[in-house]
Every structure is written in structure tokens, then in C-alpha cells.
Amino acid sequence: SRPLAPSLDQKVPGMGYTPSNFQIVCWFYNRAKGDLTDSETWNILKSIGTLTEQNRRQHENTNKTEQRENGAL
């Protein structure tokens, strides 16, 4: 599968692909969404982004601390 390929999504899962209940999204988003609502999906994706950013900062801080301890800074 191509993660950015267009994919039809039911806005409200289980209500069918009616004119008012579908949207075109990328395959990755549709796969992540599954049976969740858009709001639930975005909350999860934002949480993942926040955790990823926190992990990146922590990793950078750990590297700086190790460099200081090793006399590299």
C-alpha cells in the first residue's frame, strides 16, 4: 500500500458511503482511523506527535549531558 494514496473514508463508521458521510483521505489516515471518529483519531495522532517530540528532546538532552561528561562540549 502507498501511505499517501487517496482512500474513501466514512465520517461516521458503519453509516455507509452516502454523499454526506464520506471524505477522501490518505490511506495512512484511513488505516489509522479504523472505526474511530475523526476527533478520536486526531487526538491519538496529536498524542503520538507530542510523545515523539518529548522523546526527541530527551534524547538531545541525554546526548548533550554525555558529551559534557566526556569533555566533548
Side-chain angles (χ1 to χ4, degrees):
S1 296
R2 297 180 325 219
L4 299 178
S7 179
L8 288 178
D9 174 56
Q10 295 178 34
K11 292 178 183 177
V12 179
M15 289 190 60
Y17 292 94
T18 63
S20 63
N21 191 46
F22 86 92
Q23 57 190 351
I24 298 173
V25 298
C26 70
W27 178 88
F28 173 80
Y29 177 80
N30 203 357
R31 182 76 171 159
K33 183 175 179 257
D35 290 334
L36 302 174
T37 66
D38 280 331
S39 179
E40 292 168 328
T41 304
W42 280 111
N43 286 337
I44 290 169
L45 293 174
K46 284 188 274 187
S47 294
I48 291 169
T50 299
L51 290 173
T52 301
E53 179 63 18
Q54 289 172 351
N55 288 342
R56 184 189 65 76
R57 286 184 192 149
Q58 182 178 8
H59 182 70
E60 284 178 355
N61 290 337
T62 299
N63 284 345
K64 287 178 184 175
T65 300
E66 288 174 354
Q67 288 174 349
R68 278 191 206 100
E69 289 172 354
N70 293 330
L73 287 180

